Amino acid sequence: MVISQVRPKTSILDKTLSKGKGEVSLSCFALLFSELVQYCQNKVHTVPELQNKLCEMGQEVGIKLIDLYYMREKNGKREIKLLNMLLFIRSTLWKGLFGKEADKLEHANDDERIYYLIEKEPLVNKFISVPKDKGSLNCAMFIAGIIEAVLNAAGFTAKVTAHWHKGTTYMVTFEESVIAKDKQLDER
C-alpha cells in the first residue's frame, strides 16, 4: 500500500515576493505605452494638459512600486537620508524599470532644493513620434510622475518635471522642510 503525501494548497499570500522574470518585451512595452499616450491625448486638448495626465498616470505606478522595491531590495527598510533616496531611485529603481541606471544625478549649484536626474534617451520617448503641432511634448513626464510618487510616498515631498536638456532631465524640487530635515539628520 502506497501513501502519497498531500500538499496543502498555498495561497498567493504564502508565496515570497520573488523578483520573478522582471523583463517585458520592448515591442510590447512600446505598444502599451503608445496606447497610454493616445488614451491620454483623447482626454485633453493641450500639450501641458497631456503632460499632466501622463504625470498622473506615472504617479499611480510610482505609488505601487515603492513598497514593492522596499520589500524586495531593502528588506522593508526605508531610506531616511535624501541623497540615499535619490541614489536608490537612480540605481535600484531605474534598473528595475529600465534595465540600467540613470545616466547622471546632479545637484543644482544655485538652489539646494533642486536635484537633476539625467537620462540621455528615455525609453518612453524612444518609440513616440511627436506631431509638429505638439512639438514641446515630452512623454517622459510619465517617468517624472513615477519619481514624484516614489519620493512623496517615502516622505521626501517634491515636485518633479521633465525637460529637454542633455537628453531628458528630470528636475526634482524638494520642499524646504525636506532639506531642513536632511540637515538635521546630518548634524546627528
Side-chain angles (χ1 to χ4, degrees), residues 10 12 46 59 73-74 85 88 98-99 129 137 185-186:
T10 60
I12 194 164
T46 65
Q59 288 172 351
E73 306 293 333
K74 309 283 274 171
M85 184 63 192
F88 170 79
F98 307 113
S129 55
L137 174 65
L185 287 171
D186 283 340

Side-chain angles (χ1 to χ4, degrees), residues 119-181:
E119 184 164 27
K120 289 181 178 73
E121 190 178 358
L123 188 61
V124 294
N125 287 341
K126 198 172 194 174
F127 302 104
I128 301 291
S129 55
V130 179
K132 290 183 181 180
D133 64 324
K134 294 184 176 23
S136 64
L137 174 65
N138 191 343
C139 291
M141 280 300 291
F142 179 78
I143 299 172
I146 292 174
I147 298 167
E148 184 174 324
V150 165
L151 287 169
N152 290 339
F156 299 95
T157 311
K159 179 70 182 151
V160 182
T161 54
H163 304 275
W164 296 107
H165 179 69
K166 298 180 184 177
T168 295
T169 299
Y170 302 97
M171 186 170 86
V172 183
T173 308
F174 290 99
E175 285 188 358
E176 196 63 51
S177 61
V178 173
I179 303 300
K181 181 177 86 172

Side-chain angles (χ1 to χ4, degrees), residues 14-136:
D14 296 327
K15 295 180 181 177
T16 63
L17 288 173
S18 68
K19 292 187 180 190
K21 187 173 181 183
E23 292 180 15
V24 175
S25 162
L26 192 56
S27 59
C28 179
F29 172 78
L31 175 66
L32 183 63
F33 189 73
S34 69
E35 289 296 320
L36 177 75
V37 172
Q38 288 176 29
Y39 172 80
C40 292
Q41 192 172 359
N42 291 334
K43 300 282 184 192
V44 298
H45 302 290
T46 65
V47 171
E49 288 175 344
L50 176 56
Q51 290 185 154
N52 287 339
K53 192 74 173 160
L54 287 170
C55 186
E56 289 172 16
M57 296 264 188
Q59 288 172 351
E60 293 294 322
V61 172
I63 288 170
K64 292 169 178 64
L65 282 177
I66 185 68
D67 288 329
L68 180 67
Y69 273 88
Y70 273 137
M71 291 307 292
R72 283 184 180 171
E73 306 293 333
K74 309 283 274 171
N75 294 327
K77 295 179 182 170
R78 295 189 177 262
E79 295 292 349
I80 58 170
K81 304 268 302 145
L82 178 62
L83 187 58
N84 291 345
M85 184 63 192
L86 288 168
L87 291 171
F88 170 79
I89 290 171
R90 179 184 180 257
S91 60
T92 307
L93 184 70
W94 223 262
K95 279 182 190 174
L97 291 174
F98 307 113
K100 66 179 187 77
E101 287 188 4
D103 295 322
K104 286 184 184 176
L105 175 64
E106 296 179 356
H107 190 212
N109 294 329
D110 56 343
D111 190 346
E112 65 179 0
R113 299 179 316 129
I114 298 177
Y115 285 82
Y116 301 106
L117 196 58
I118 300 168
E119 184 164 27
K120 289 181 178 73
E121 190 178 358
L123 188 61
V124 294
N125 287 341
K126 198 172 194 174
F127 302 104
I128 301 291
S129 55
V130 179
K132 290 183 181 180
D133 64 324
K134 294 184 176 23
S136 64

